Amino acid sequence: MRKSNTSAPGEATPNHVTAEQRPISTVDVVIFTVRQERLCVLLTRRAQPPFARRWALPGGFVHVGQDADLLACAQRILRGKTGVQSPYLEQLGSWGSATRDPRGWSATHVYFALIPPPDQPLAPDAQWVEAGAALTGAGPLAFDHADILATALARLRAKVEYTSLPAYLLPQPFTLPQLQRMYEVVLGRAVDKSGFRTRMLAADFLQEAGQEAAAAAGRPAMRYRLRENARPAYFPRTFAPRAR
Amino acid sequence: MRKSNTSAPGEATPNHVTAEQRPISTVDVVIFTVRQERLCVLLTRRAQPPFARRWALPGGFVHVGQDADLLACAQRILRGKTGVQSPYLEQLGSWGSATRDPRGWSATHVYFALIPPPDQPLAPDAQWVEAGAALTGAGPLAFDHADILATALARLRAKVEYTSLPAYLLPQPFTLPQLQRMYEVVLGRAVDKSGFRTRMLAADFLQEAGQEAAAAAGRPAMRYRLRENARPAYFPRTFAPRAR
DNA sequence: ACAATAGTGTCTGTAAGACAGTATTGG
DNA sequence: CCAATACTGTCTTACAGACACTATTGT
């Protein structure tokens, strides 16, 4: 049998849901970067309960008087922890349940950021942790943040197979060999140089930015910037080594 | 300059956010089906303000005493409107801002469902509307539901290019020609039969379910069901007609 | 000249798209 | 036998992967 949920008597109908019945609303941001050829994620150590002294993803409550929308809230959190202004930032999803926060029914809107290693110092409670180690080492993460981080990692690795996302892990301008290394770090495997270059240049999201100054040995590389209006490029196929 | 947002004086810190400062939390579900070779979305007519008498996506408040988590809330909404129990249901994203709901800061968690045309009657306030017409005809949708629906449509069309999602638009068992028609309806273009069949069978998400009973003219087709543990299949490439 | 790194050319295999053909049913 | 629909085979071509080759720098 089907039951309508809009007007059953005794049930809280939309206009009768009071503020006390509202779930807690937070925003968390999974911030990735590559440091020393390692994929790292930013974690903060919680000062207050719940989960005091545990590591957690950077996040906070939606400030209804301050945040215009969810994206602005995520940007505020990102800027607060890293000082970075305009990175790649997309929504990952939301996690909400009666049990994920001991304070009550809670839902978090999760964003996903890619940034170059920042020049400014991090917030004092924040630290870069290698992505794999964040899931295993140094004790469990607060809340359901291990789930969230695992989902973010899976999404990153999946999208790197067919998008130009790793370009956001580098400061501009960058060279194609540098970009290739970003792909290799995230994917955890080597990528063929020739195919890689053809693919990147064909995708038409880069513009030349002058020759690199010759530093050590070797031919200096061409530098590139993201084109204006640079949304990430989507490739028609995934990177696929012969053996499936 | 970087500003820490965790301990600035005068700012609401996490444990001091009272229930009154919490955003409104809702869940909306974009429910697609194919009826008479048309892609349709389920809309409901709003009885109460805000946006009374406007068409809207099915949705409602998170019921903190009733819904174990966001997915359960989405399932409750889906079941309430259609009677359908276990369709394809994935998260689409969340939309939240100070202005999207005149009652105050509001965030909605949006899910995305694919179902076969249900046997049971719909809830009395619900109606199938052709997907394109829902965005243009019969007046604007409530809230930011036009944005949400446009995003859902784009996501559906994108994923249909490289996944087996259209299989969830059909009652089981179904034949490959029927499945091919689902692809063609959603994509709005013809798909080559031979390549289509090779692709579907190679993806290994179908199992044979006996020969179709010969009805009218023509050779009866083989019927298929989704395999056990049937998650959707992801194809290595998109459907791509020669001319790009 | 050599090492080191950047960048290009060429071959080959895979698989998708196009389309013509065969198979199986009812009338 | 014909119409109608299901299914298969074959040809062609695009293109990714592999890898060897050339180019440009510093020492």
Side-chain angles (χ1 to χ4, degrees):
Chain A
M1 277 298 276
R2 174 171 51 75
K3 279 195 301 189
S4 166
N5 75 316
T6 53
S7 54
E11 207 178 73
T13 58
N15 287 321
H16 299 133
V17 171
T18 66
E20 286 72 24
Q21 295 173 290
R22 292 177 184 175
I24 298 165
S25 279
T26 61
V27 169
D28 292 309
V29 189
V30 187
I31 307 169
F32 289 112
T33 198
V34 171
R35 300 181 349 135
Q36 291 130 24
E37 315 264 291
R38 301 290 178 104
L39 179 64
C40 295
V41 62
L42 192 72
L43 297 182
T44 62
R45 196 182 268 283
R46 288 184 61 79
Q48 310 280 344
F51 300 104
R53 306 196 55 74
R54 290 263 194 95
W55 290 101
L57 296 170
F61 287 78
V62 173
H63 292 178
V64 299
Q66 183 181 355
D67 299 319
D69 54 28
L70 291 173
L71 183 63
C73 180
Q75 281 169 329
R76 171 174 61 77
I77 291 164
L78 175 69
R79 210 179 50 239
K81 295 299 179 193
T82 68
V84 172
Q85 295 284 347
S86 54
Y88 178 77
L89 191 58
E90 71 163 83
Q91 207 179 51
L92 180 65
S94 54
W95 276 253
S97 79
T99 54
R100 65 181 294 278
D101 186 325
R103 292 166 294 188
W105 221 106
S106 142
T108 185
H109 304 266
V110 183
Y111 284 76
F112 172 104
L114 302 178
I115 64 173
D119 300 325
Q120 300 104 334
L122 297 173
D125 60 338
Q127 192 173 311
W128 292 112
V129 179
E130 201 198 328
L135 284 171
T136 58
L141 297 180
F143 304 103
D144 48 5
H145 287 188
D147 280 355
I148 295 174
L149 176 56
T151 303
L153 263 173
R155 171 108 138 224
L156 174 62
R157 295 210 167 103
K159 287 191 91 161
V160 165
E161 295 276 1
Y162 62 91
T163 67
S164 64
L165 288 197
Y168 299 96
L169 295 168
L170 286 170
Q172 298 187 53
F174 51 79
T175 69
L176 286 181
Q178 287 170 340
L179 182 57
Q180 185 177 343
R181 256 161 247 136
M182 292 298 107
Y183 277 85
E184 292 175 337
V185 166
V186 176
L187 294 177
R189 66 168 195 262
V191 168
D192 178 77
K193 179 170 49 167
S194 172
F196 178 81
R197 299 175 66 88
T198 321
R199 203 166 161 151
M200 293 302 136
L201 296 175
D204 201 46
F205 67 101
L206 296 174
Q207 61 184 189
E208 295 192 355
Q211 198 81 7
E212 193 181 39
R219 171 175 171 180
M222 179 63 69
R223 294 182 303 185
Y224 294 89
R225 300 186 165 280
L226 297 176
R227 291 181 95 89
E228 300 294 327
N229 311 323
R231 269 172 305 177
Y234 284 71
F235 310 127
R237 305 192 191 176
T238 62
F239 286 102
R242 276 275 186 265
R244 186 82 55 82
Chain B
M1 280 294 279
R2 174 170 52 77
K3 279 193 301 189
S4 166
N5 73 317
T6 51
S7 53
E11 207 177 73
T13 58
N15 286 322
H16 300 132
V17 170
T18 66
E20 285 72 24
Q21 295 173 290
R22 292 179 185 174
I24 297 165
S25 279
T26 62
V27 170
D28 292 309
V29 189
V30 186
I31 307 168
F32 289 113
T33 199
V34 171
R35 305 169 66 221
Q36 290 131 24
E37 315 263 293
R38 301 289 179 104
L39 179 65
C40 294
V41 62
L42 192 72
L43 297 182
T44 62
R45 195 183 268 283
R46 286 184 63 79
Q48 309 280 346
F51 301 105
R53 305 196 55 74
R54 289 264 195 94
W55 290 102
L57 296 169
F61 286 77
V62 173
H63 292 178
V64 298
Q66 184 180 354
D67 300 319
D69 55 28
L70 290 172
L71 182 63
C73 181
Q75 282 168 330
R76 170 172 63 76
I77 291 164
L78 175 71
R79 210 180 50 239
K81 295 299 179 194
T82 67
V84 172
Q85 295 284 348
S86 54
Y88 179 76
L89 191 57
E90 70 164 85
Q91 208 180 49
L92 180 65
S94 55
W95 275 254
S97 79
T99 54
R100 64 180 296 275
D101 186 324
R103 292 166 293 189
W105 221 107
S106 141
T108 185
H109 304 266
V110 183
Y111 284 76
F112 172 105
L114 301 179
I115 65 173
D119 300 326
Q120 300 103 333
L122 297 174
D125 60 339
Q127 192 173 309
W128 292 111
V129 178
E130 200 196 330
L135 284 171
T136 57
L141 298 180
F143 303 103
D144 48 5
H145 287 188
D147 281 353
I148 295 173
L149 176 55
T151 303
L153 263 174
R155 171 109 139 224
L156 174 63
R157 295 210 168 102
K159 287 191 91 160
V160 164
E161 294 277 1
Y162 60 92
T163 67
S164 64
L165 288 197
Y168 297 96
L169 295 168
L170 286 170
Q172 298 188 53
F174 51 79
T175 69
L176 285 182
Q178 287 170 339
L179 182 57
Q180 185 177 343
R181 256 161 247 138
M182 292 299 107
Y183 276 86
E184 292 176 337
V185 166
V186 176
L187 294 177
R189 65 168 196 263
V191 168
D192 178 77
K193 180 169 47 168
S194 173
F196 178 81
R197 300 176 66 88
T198 322
R199 201 166 164 151
M200 293 302 137
L201 296 175
D204 202 46
F205 67 101
L206 296 173
Q207 60 183 190
E208 296 192 354
Q211 197 82 7
E212 194 181 39
R219 172 175 169 179
M222 179 63 69
R223 294 183 302 185
Y224 294 89
R225 301 185 165 280
L226 298 177
R227 292 181 96 87
E228 300 294 328
N229 312 323
R231 270 172 305 178
Y234 284 72
F235 311 126
R237 305 192 190 177
T238 61
F239 285 102
R242 276 273 187 265
R244 188 86 54 85

